[in-house]
């Protein structure tokens, strides 16, 4: 009989056992490389906003996971456990405490990672720890709810297929009205299209303006595109809850639909974690080699302007703007220059925020934090760093290429009473479109057709 | 938040971002106060109430707030008018004033 095992709760034992299955070389490298130099400490917005509390330090948080690795999976922990601070978990209460660290004290933003001289990637094994806890049902209520919706219904907001289609058709009517073109389409499931366009469910459920804006841009560019009737949710809570199976299932639905439609390119609307999950991590989770190109809609819009497919007038977007880099876009996917280039083309007054690009601070809503209501007070306290950074730009509007950042920034702007607006590139590009000539031409064309048809009817 | 103390003195009544915890706790008076806190300065009009009651009924029937397309079509108002009625948006405006709990997910 194993007395060590019997001392441990059922869930604690499952966590230890599963850790052995989830460790990769990258994680083991990170778990063994830390020299406790403290370089990560000053890079973390939680630490900067809580200077007197060492429990927010990345190295401290990492040690809570590292001790398990040392105790159970590393030879050093077996030979001199005290020297390497090996330790274990025994009770469900300890797992709850670990939950509050890996979900509540880290947004997996990876700013500590890019500032670590040893290359320790805390966010990667923090995500693994989240996955271990989720495996035994220990996670924030919001994360559990959303993961269930995404697995069972197919998107994170539980939107039914008929409601999705009704919304797209509604936006198609709006497009026809604005373009004065009754034949303007937002095609659904059109096979062999150049582009399959996938979105964040909040665009369907709560605010479809970005769908209409994207449709206007595609219309003006004369693009051959489609939106899929299924596999249209490019967000992925598998990234947030550390569940590779969920990540693979969600990303796999998108890939399967693009292949079924024989789409040439997958274009992902502005969402940091969605972009990272669908373009970068998804193929590994889904164990699939994707056969088509995938890119952010930021790149698609920029190329349209560069190739002369759409014309924009930056004077249509007056006021001052700054740009907030999404952690997943900038630090994890290197998408830093294209959004700035695009923003400079559609607004007159773009002012850089400091620090920026891979050194930018998290919106504080990253890593699924916006769905973890219980940690909001701590999140907003840590948001002081971001609030100061935003205020220092002296701008009226902050632009970001991430839906999650829109919500995180909106929440902290309200809390710190900054009085700033938040918007996305798709909104600014659509607003800057020079389409008056197209609309006038459509108006004449369809007025003439109406005259002809009414004349022939008489 | 200010409203927390005005209404009940009981902070347990409110969840994240001052969404109500319990839809049954809602009342017309609470709706009026929540409206003021959420950029509806001149009080609730008949159009506001049409949306509020629709959103509440939908939640009580399906245990989730309605999609925006349903609100616009079933209440017979334009999207632009809905944005003007609830400047904080469907969720932080209409859902919140109607007493719905904060929805899960990226919002």
């Amino acid at each position: 009989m194993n007395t060590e095992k019997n001392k441990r709760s059922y869930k604690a034992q499952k966590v230890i056992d599963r850790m052995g299955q989830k460790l990769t070389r990258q994680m083991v490298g990170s778990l063994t490389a830390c020299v406790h130099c403290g370089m990560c400490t000053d890079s973390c917005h939680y630490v900067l906003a809580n200077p007197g509390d060492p429990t927010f330090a990345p190295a401290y948080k990492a040690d809570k996971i590292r001790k398990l690795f040392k105790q159970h999976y590393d030879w050093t922990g077996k030979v001199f456990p005290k020297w390497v601070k090996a330790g274990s978990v025994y009770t469900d209460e300890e797992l709850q405490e670990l939950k509050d660290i890996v979900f509540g004290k880290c947004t997996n933003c990876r700013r500590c990672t890019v500032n670590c001289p040893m290359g320790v990637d805390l966010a990667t094994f923090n995500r693994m720890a989240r996955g271990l806890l989720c495996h035994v049902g220990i996670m924030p209520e919001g994360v559990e709810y959303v993961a269930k919706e995404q697995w069972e219904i197919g998107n994170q907001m539980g939107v039914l297929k008929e409601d999705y289609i009704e919304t797209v058709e509604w936006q198609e009517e709006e497009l026809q009205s604005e373009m004065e073109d009754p034949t303007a389409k937002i095609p659904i499931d059109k096979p062999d299209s150049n582009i399959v366009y996938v979105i964040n469910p909040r665009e369907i459920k709560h605010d479809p303006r970005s769908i209409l804006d994207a449709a206007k841009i595609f219309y003006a560019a004369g693009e051959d595109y489609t939106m899929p009737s299924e596999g249209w949710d490019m967000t992925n809570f598998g990234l947030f809850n550390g569940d590779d199976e969920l990540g693979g299932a969600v990303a796999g639905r998108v890939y399967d639909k693009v292949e079924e439609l024989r789409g040439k390119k997958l274009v992902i609307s502005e969402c940091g974690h969605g972009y990272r999950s669908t373009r970068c991590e998804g193929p590994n989770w889904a164990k699939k080699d994707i056969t088509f190109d995938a890119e952010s809609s930021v790149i698609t819009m920029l190329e349209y302007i560069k190739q002369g497919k759409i014309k924009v007038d930056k004077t249509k977007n007056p006021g001052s703007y700054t740009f907030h880099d999404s952690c997943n876009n900038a630090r994890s996917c290197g998408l830093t220059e294209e959004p700035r280039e695009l923003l400079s083309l559609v607004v007159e007054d773009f002012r850089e925020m400091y620090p920026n690009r891979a050194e930018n601070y998290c919106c504080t809503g990253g890593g699924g934090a916006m769905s973890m209501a219980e940690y909001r007070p701590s999140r907003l306290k840590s948001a002081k760093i971001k609030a100061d950074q935003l205020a220092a730009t002296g701008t009226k509007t902050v632009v970001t290429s991430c839906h999650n950042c829109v919500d995180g920034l909106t929440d902290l702007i309200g809390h710190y009473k900054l009085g700033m607006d938040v918007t996305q590139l798709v909104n600014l590009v659509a607003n800057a479109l020079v389409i008056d000539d197209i609309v006038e031409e459509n108006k004449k064309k369809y007025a003439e057709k109406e005259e002809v048809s009414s004349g022939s009817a008489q | 938040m200010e409203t927390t103390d005005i209404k009940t003195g009981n902070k347990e009544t409110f969840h994240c971002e001052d969404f109500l915890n319990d839809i049954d706790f809602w009342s017309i008076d609470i709706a009026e106060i929540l409206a003021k806190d959420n950029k509806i300065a001149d009080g609730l009009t008949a159009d506001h109430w049409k949306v509020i009651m629709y959103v509440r009924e939908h939640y009580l029937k399906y245990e989730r707030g309605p999609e925006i397309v349903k609100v616009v079509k079933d209440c017979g108002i334009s999207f632009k008018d809905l944005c003007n009625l609830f400047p904080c948006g469907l969720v932080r405006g209409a859902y919140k004033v109607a007493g719905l709990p904060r929805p899960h997910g990226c919002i």
Side-chain angles (χ1 to χ4, degrees), chain A residues 141-142 145-146 149 153 156-159 163 166-167 170 202 204-209 237 370-371 373 376 404 407, chain B residues 15-18 58 63-70 72-73 78-79 83 90-92 95 102-107:
Chain A
E141 185 194 350
Y145 183 93
V146 177
E149 295 266 278
I153 301 180
Q156 65 150 291
M157 290 189 182
V159 176
D163 296 330
E166 191 181 6
T167 307
W170 169 39
R202 76 198 284 287
I204 291 288
K205 179 94 186 179
H206 302 136
D207 191 348
R209 279 176 287 195
F237 255 60
M370 295 307 290
S371 62
R376 185 173 181 250
N404 204 65
D407 292 323
Chain B
H15 191 231
C16 184
E17 294 182 50
D18 273 10
H58 191 282
E63 293 186 347
R64 60 179 73 216
E67 281 76 14
I68 195 161
V69 66
K70 287 195 164 73
V72 166
K73 297 206 167 174
S78 71
F79 178 61
C83 294
L90 178 69
V91 177
R92 292 184 175 83
Y95 281 16
R102 185 182 186 276
H104 297 294
C106 290
I107 67 137

Coordinates of all heavy atoms in Angstrom, one line a residue, chain A residues 141-142 145-146 149 153 156-159 163 166-167 170 202 204-209 237 370-371 373 376 404 407, chain B residues 15-18 58 63-70 72-73 78-79 83 90-92 95 102-107:
Chain A
E141 N -15.9 29.7 -12.0 CA -17.2 29.4 -12.5 C -17.4 29.8 -14.0 O -17.9 29.1 -14.8 CB -18.3 30.0 -11.7 CG -19.7 29.6 -12.0 CD -20.8 30.5 -11.4 OE1 -20.4 31.3 -10.5 OE2 -21.9 30.4 -11.8
G142 N -17.0 31.1 -14.3 CA -17.1 31.6 -15.6 C -16.4 30.8 -16.7 O -16.9 30.6 -17.8
Y145 N -18.2 27.6 -17.3 CA -19.5 27.8 -18.1 C -19.1 28.0 -19.6 O -19.7 27.3 -20.4 CB -20.2 29.0 -17.5 CG -21.5 29.3 -18.2 CD1 -22.7 28.8 -17.6 CD2 -21.6 30.1 -19.3 CE1 -23.9 29.1 -18.2 CE2 -22.8 30.3 -19.9 CZ -24.0 29.8 -19.4 OH -25.2 30.1 -20.0
V146 N -18.2 28.8 -19.8 CA -17.8 29.1 -21.2 C -17.2 27.9 -21.9 O -17.6 27.7 -23.1 CB -16.9 30.4 -21.3 CG1 -16.5 30.7 -22.7 CG2 -17.6 31.6 -20.7
E149 N -20.0 25.7 -22.9 CA -20.8 26.2 -24.1 C -20.0 26.0 -25.4 O -20.6 25.6 -26.4 CB -21.0 27.7 -23.9 CG -21.9 28.1 -22.7 CD -23.3 28.3 -23.1 OE1 -23.7 29.4 -23.6 OE2 -24.1 27.3 -22.8
I153 N -22.1 23.6 -27.6 CA -22.9 24.3 -28.6 C -22.0 24.8 -29.8 O -22.5 25.0 -30.9 CB -23.6 25.5 -27.9 CG1 -24.5 25.0 -26.8 CG2 -24.4 26.3 -28.9 CD1 -25.2 26.1 -26.0
Q156 N -18.5 30.2 -27.8 CA -18.4 30.5 -26.4 C -19.6 31.2 -25.8 O -19.7 31.4 -24.6 CB -17.1 31.2 -26.1 CG -17.0 32.6 -26.7 CD -16.1 33.5 -25.9 OE1 -16.5 33.9 -24.8 NE2 -15.0 33.9 -26.4
M157 N -20.5 31.7 -26.7 CA -21.7 32.4 -26.1 C -23.0 31.7 -26.3 O -24.1 32.2 -26.2 CB -21.7 33.8 -26.7 CG -20.6 34.6 -26.1 SD -20.6 36.4 -26.4 CE -19.1 36.9 -25.6
G158 N -22.9 30.4 -26.7 CA -24.1 29.6 -26.9 C -25.0 30.1 -27.9 O -26.3 29.9 -27.8
V159 N -24.5 30.7 -29.0 CA -25.4 31.2 -30.0 C -25.8 30.0 -30.9 O -25.0 29.3 -31.4 CB -24.6 32.3 -30.9 CG1 -25.5 32.7 -32.1 CG2 -24.2 33.5 -30.0
D163 N -29.7 31.6 -35.1 CA -29.5 33.0 -34.6 C -28.3 33.7 -35.3 O -28.3 34.8 -35.6 CB -29.4 33.1 -33.1 CG -30.7 32.7 -32.4 OD1 -31.8 32.9 -33.0 OD2 -30.6 32.1 -31.3
E166 N -29.4 34.4 -38.8 CA -30.3 35.6 -38.9 C -29.5 36.9 -38.7 O -29.8 37.9 -39.3 CB -31.3 35.4 -37.8 CG -32.4 36.4 -37.9 CD -33.5 36.3 -36.8 OE1 -33.3 35.5 -35.8 OE2 -34.5 37.1 -36.8
T167 N -28.5 36.8 -37.8 CA -27.7 38.1 -37.5 C -26.9 38.5 -38.8 O -26.8 39.6 -39.1 CB -26.8 37.8 -36.3 OG1 -27.5 37.4 -35.2 CG2 -26.0 39.1 -36.0
W170 N -29.2 39.9 -41.2 CA -29.6 41.3 -40.8 C -28.5 42.3 -41.2 O -28.7 43.4 -41.7 CB -29.8 41.3 -39.3 CG -29.9 42.6 -38.6 CD1 -30.6 43.7 -39.1 CD2 -29.4 43.0 -37.4 NE1 -30.5 44.7 -38.2 CE2 -29.8 44.3 -37.1 CE3 -28.7 42.3 -36.4 CZ2 -29.4 45.0 -36.0 CZ3 -28.3 43.0 -35.2 CH2 -28.7 44.3 -35.0
R202 N -19.0 37.4 -29.7 CA -19.6 38.7 -29.1 C -20.1 39.6 -30.3 O -21.0 40.4 -30.1 CB -18.6 39.4 -28.2 CG -17.5 40.1 -28.9 CD -16.4 40.4 -28.0 NE -16.6 41.5 -27.1 CZ -16.6 42.8 -27.4 NH1 -16.4 43.2 -28.7 NH2 -16.8 43.8 -26.5
I204 N -21.6 38.6 -32.9 CA -23.0 38.1 -33.2 C -24.0 38.4 -32.0 O -25.0 39.0 -32.2 CB -23.0 36.6 -33.4 CG1 -22.2 36.3 -34.7 CG2 -24.4 36.0 -33.5 CD1 -22.9 36.6 -36.0
K205 N -23.5 38.1 -30.9 CA -24.4 38.1 -29.7 C -24.8 39.5 -29.3 O -25.9 39.8 -29.0 CB -23.8 37.3 -28.5 CG -24.6 37.3 -27.3 CD -25.4 36.1 -27.2 CE -26.4 36.2 -25.9 NZ -27.2 35.0 -25.8
H206 N -23.7 40.4 -29.2 CA -24.0 41.7 -28.6 C -23.7 42.9 -29.4 O -24.4 43.9 -29.2 CB -23.0 41.8 -27.3 CG -23.2 40.7 -26.3 ND1 -22.2 40.1 -25.7 CD2 -24.4 40.2 -25.8 CE1 -22.7 39.2 -24.9 NE2 -24.0 39.2 -25.0
D207 N -22.8 42.8 -30.4 CA -22.5 44.1 -31.1 C -22.0 43.7 -32.5 O -20.8 43.5 -32.7 CB -21.4 44.9 -30.3 CG -21.2 46.2 -30.9 OD1 -21.8 46.5 -32.0 OD2 -20.5 47.1 -30.3
P208 N -22.9 43.7 -33.5 CA -22.5 43.3 -34.8 C -21.9 44.4 -35.7 O -21.7 44.2 -36.9 CB -23.9 42.8 -35.4 CG -24.9 43.7 -34.7 CD -24.3 44.0 -33.4
R209 N -21.6 45.5 -35.1 CA -21.1 46.6 -35.9 C -19.8 46.2 -36.7 O -19.5 46.7 -37.8 CB -20.8 47.9 -35.1 CG -22.1 48.7 -34.8 CD -21.8 49.8 -33.9 NE -21.7 49.4 -32.6 CZ -21.7 50.2 -31.5 NH1 -21.9 51.5 -31.7 NH2 -21.5 49.7 -30.3
F237 N -11.4 28.9 -25.6 CA -11.2 28.9 -24.2 C -10.2 27.8 -23.8 O -9.8 27.7 -22.6 CB -12.5 28.8 -23.4 CG -12.9 30.1 -22.8 CD1 -13.1 31.2 -23.6 CD2 -12.9 30.2 -21.4 CE1 -13.4 32.4 -23.0 CE2 -13.2 31.5 -20.8 CZ -13.4 32.6 -21.6
M370 N -11.5 38.3 -18.1 CA -12.9 39.0 -18.1 C -14.0 38.0 -17.8 O -15.1 38.5 -17.5 CB -13.1 39.6 -19.5 CG -12.1 40.7 -19.9 SD -12.1 42.0 -18.6 CE -13.7 42.8 -18.8
S371 N -13.7 36.7 -17.9 CA -14.8 35.8 -17.5 C -14.7 35.3 -16.1 O -15.5 34.5 -15.6 CB -14.8 34.6 -18.5 OG -13.5 33.9 -18.3
A373 N -15.2 36.7 -12.8 CA -15.8 37.8 -12.1 C -15.2 38.0 -10.7 O -15.0 39.1 -10.1 CB -17.3 37.7 -12.0
R376 N -12.2 40.3 -10.1 CA -12.3 41.7 -10.7 C -11.6 42.7 -9.8 O -10.9 43.6 -10.3 CB -13.7 42.1 -11.0 CG -13.8 43.4 -11.7 CD -15.2 43.7 -12.2 NE -15.3 45.0 -12.8 CZ -15.9 46.1 -12.3 NH1 -16.5 46.0 -11.2 NH2 -15.9 47.2 -13.0
N404 N -11.1 41.1 -26.6 CA -10.9 40.9 -25.1 C -10.3 42.2 -24.5 O -10.7 42.7 -23.5 CB -10.0 39.7 -24.9 CG -10.2 39.2 -23.5 OD1 -11.3 38.7 -23.2 ND2 -9.2 39.3 -22.7
D407 N -12.8 45.0 -24.0 CA -13.5 44.9 -22.8 C -12.7 45.2 -21.5 O -13.1 45.9 -20.6 CB -14.2 43.5 -22.6 CG -15.2 43.3 -23.7 OD1 -16.0 44.2 -24.0 OD2 -15.4 42.2 -24.2
Chain B
H15 N -23.1 41.6 -8.1 CA -22.1 40.7 -8.6 C -21.1 41.6 -9.3 O -21.1 42.9 -9.1 CB -22.7 39.7 -9.5 CG -21.8 38.6 -9.9 ND1 -21.6 38.2 -11.2 CD2 -21.0 37.8 -9.2 CE1 -20.8 37.2 -11.2 NE2 -20.4 36.9 -10.0
C16 N -20.2 41.0 -10.1 CA -19.2 41.8 -10.8 C -19.8 42.9 -11.7 O -20.9 42.8 -12.3 CB -18.5 40.8 -11.7 SG -17.2 41.4 -12.7
E17 N -19.1 44.1 -11.6 CA -19.6 45.3 -12.4 C -21.0 45.7 -12.1 O -21.7 46.3 -12.9 CB -19.5 45.0 -13.9 CG -18.1 44.8 -14.5 CD -18.1 44.6 -15.9 OE1 -18.7 45.4 -16.7 OE2 -17.5 43.6 -16.4
D18 N -21.4 45.5 -10.9 CA -22.8 45.9 -10.4 C -23.9 45.3 -11.2 O -25.0 45.9 -11.3 CB -22.9 47.4 -10.4 CG -22.4 47.9 -9.0 OD1 -21.8 47.1 -8.2 OD2 -22.5 49.1 -8.7
H58 N -37.1 37.1 -21.9 CA -36.3 36.2 -22.6 C -35.4 35.4 -21.6 O -35.2 34.2 -21.7 CB -35.4 36.9 -23.6 CG -34.7 36.0 -24.6 ND1 -33.5 35.3 -24.2 CD2 -34.9 35.6 -25.9 CE1 -33.1 34.6 -25.2 NE2 -34.0 34.7 -26.2
E63 N -33.0 31.4 -19.6 CA -31.9 31.5 -18.7 C -30.6 32.1 -19.4 O -29.5 31.7 -19.1 CB -31.5 30.1 -18.1 CG -32.6 29.7 -17.1 CD -32.2 28.4 -16.4 OE1 -31.3 27.8 -16.7 OE2 -33.0 28.1 -15.4
R64 N -30.8 32.9 -20.4 CA -29.7 33.6 -21.0 C -30.3 34.8 -21.7 O -31.5 34.8 -22.1 CB -28.9 32.8 -22.0 CG -29.7 32.2 -23.2 CD -28.8 31.4 -24.1 NE -28.4 30.1 -23.5 CZ -27.2 29.6 -23.7 NH1 -26.3 30.2 -24.4 NH2 -26.9 28.4 -23.1
G65 N -29.5 35.9 -21.9 CA -30.0 37.1 -22.5 C -30.2 36.9 -24.0 O -29.5 36.0 -24.6
P66 N -31.0 37.6 -24.6 CA -31.3 37.4 -26.1 C -30.1 38.0 -26.9 O -29.4 38.9 -26.5 CB -32.5 38.3 -26.3 CG -32.5 39.3 -25.3 CD -31.8 38.7 -24.1
E67 N -30.0 37.4 -28.1 CA -29.1 38.0 -29.1 C -29.6 39.4 -29.5 O -30.8 39.6 -29.5 CB -29.0 37.1 -30.4 CG -28.1 35.9 -30.2 CD -28.7 34.8 -29.4 OE1 -30.0 34.8 -29.2 OE2 -28.0 33.9 -29.0
I68 N -28.7 40.2 -29.9 CA -29.1 41.6 -30.3 C -30.1 41.6 -31.5 O -31.0 42.4 -31.5 CB -27.8 42.5 -30.6 CG1 -28.2 44.0 -30.5 CG2 -27.1 42.1 -31.8 CD1 -27.1 44.9 -30.3
V69 N -29.9 40.6 -32.4 CA -30.8 40.6 -33.5 C -32.3 40.4 -33.1 O -33.2 41.0 -33.7 CB -30.4 39.5 -34.6 CG1 -30.5 38.1 -34.0 CG2 -31.2 39.6 -35.8
K70 N -32.4 39.6 -32.0 CA -33.8 39.3 -31.5 C -34.4 40.6 -30.9 O -35.5 40.9 -31.1 CB -33.7 38.2 -30.5 CG -33.5 36.9 -31.0 CD -33.8 35.8 -29.9 CE -34.0 34.5 -30.5 NZ -32.8 33.8 -30.9
V72 N -33.6 43.7 -31.6 CA -34.0 44.7 -32.6 C -35.2 44.3 -33.3 O -36.1 45.2 -33.5 CB -32.8 44.9 -33.6 CG1 -33.1 45.6 -34.8 CG2 -31.6 45.6 -32.8
K73 N -35.3 43.1 -33.7 CA -36.5 42.6 -34.6 C -37.7 42.5 -33.7 O -38.8 43.0 -34.2 CB -36.1 41.4 -35.3 CG -35.0 41.6 -36.3 CD -35.0 40.6 -37.4 CE -34.0 41.2 -38.5 NZ -33.8 40.3 -39.6
S78 N -34.6 50.2 -34.4 CA -33.4 50.1 -35.2 C -32.2 49.9 -34.2 O -32.3 50.2 -33.1 CB -33.2 51.3 -36.0 OG -32.9 52.4 -35.2
F79 N -31.2 49.4 -34.8 CA -29.9 49.2 -34.1 C -29.4 50.5 -33.5 O -29.0 50.6 -32.4 CB -28.9 48.5 -34.9 CG -27.6 48.3 -34.3 CD1 -27.5 47.5 -33.1 CD2 -26.4 48.8 -34.8 CE1 -26.3 47.3 -32.5 CE2 -25.2 48.6 -34.2 CZ -25.1 47.9 -33.0
C83 N -28.7 51.7 -29.7 CA -27.5 52.2 -29.1 C -27.7 53.6 -28.4 O -27.1 53.8 -27.4 CB -26.5 52.4 -30.3 SG -26.0 50.9 -31.0
L90 N -25.7 46.6 -25.2 CA -26.8 45.6 -24.9 C -26.5 45.0 -23.5 O -27.4 45.0 -22.7 CB -26.8 44.5 -26.0 CG -27.9 43.4 -25.7 CD1 -29.3 44.0 -25.9 CD2 -27.6 42.3 -26.7
V91 N -25.3 44.6 -23.3 CA -25.0 43.9 -22.0 C -24.9 44.8 -20.8 O -25.6 44.7 -19.9 CB -23.7 43.1 -22.2 CG1 -23.4 42.4 -20.9 CG2 -23.8 42.0 -23.3
R92 N -24.0 45.8 -21.0 CA -23.8 46.7 -19.8 C -24.9 47.8 -19.7 O -24.9 48.5 -18.8 CB -22.4 47.3 -19.9 CG -21.3 46.3 -19.7 CD -19.9 46.9 -19.6 NE -18.9 45.8 -19.3 CZ -18.4 45.0 -20.2 NH1 -18.7 45.1 -21.4 NH2 -17.5 44.1 -19.8
Y95 N -29.1 44.7 -20.5 CA -29.1 43.5 -19.6 C -29.0 44.0 -18.2 O -29.7 43.5 -17.3 CB -27.9 42.6 -19.9 CG -27.9 41.7 -21.1 CD1 -28.9 41.9 -22.1 CD2 -27.0 40.6 -21.2 CE1 -28.9 41.0 -23.2 CE2 -27.1 39.8 -22.3 CZ -28.0 40.0 -23.3 OH -28.0 39.1 -24.4
R102 N -24.6 39.1 -14.7 CA -23.5 39.3 -15.7 C -23.3 38.0 -16.5 O -23.1 36.9 -16.0 CB -22.2 39.7 -15.0 CG -21.1 40.0 -16.0 CD -19.9 40.3 -15.1 NE -18.8 40.8 -16.0 CZ -18.0 40.1 -16.7 NH1 -18.1 38.8 -16.6 NH2 -17.0 40.6 -17.4
P103 N -23.4 38.1 -17.9 CA -23.2 36.9 -18.7 C -21.7 36.5 -18.6 O -20.8 37.3 -18.3 CB -23.5 37.4 -20.1 CG -23.9 38.8 -20.0 CD -23.6 39.3 -18.7
H104 N -21.5 35.2 -18.8 CA -20.1 34.7 -18.8 C -19.5 34.9 -20.2 O -20.2 35.3 -21.1 CB -20.1 33.2 -18.5 CG -20.7 32.8 -17.2 ND1 -20.0 33.2 -16.0 CD2 -21.8 32.2 -16.8 CE1 -20.7 32.8 -15.0 NE2 -21.8 32.1 -15.4
G105 N -18.2 34.7 -20.3 CA -17.5 34.8 -21.5 C -16.8 36.1 -21.7 O -16.7 36.9 -20.8
C106 N -16.3 36.3 -22.9 CA -15.5 37.5 -23.2 C -16.4 38.7 -23.4 O -16.8 39.0 -24.5 CB -14.7 37.3 -24.5 SG -13.4 36.2 -24.3
I107 N -16.8 39.4 -22.3 CA -17.6 40.6 -22.4 C -16.9 41.7 -21.6 O -16.3 41.4 -20.6 CB -19.0 40.4 -22.0 CG1 -19.2 40.1 -20.5 CG2 -19.7 39.3 -22.8 CD1 -20.2 40.9 -19.9

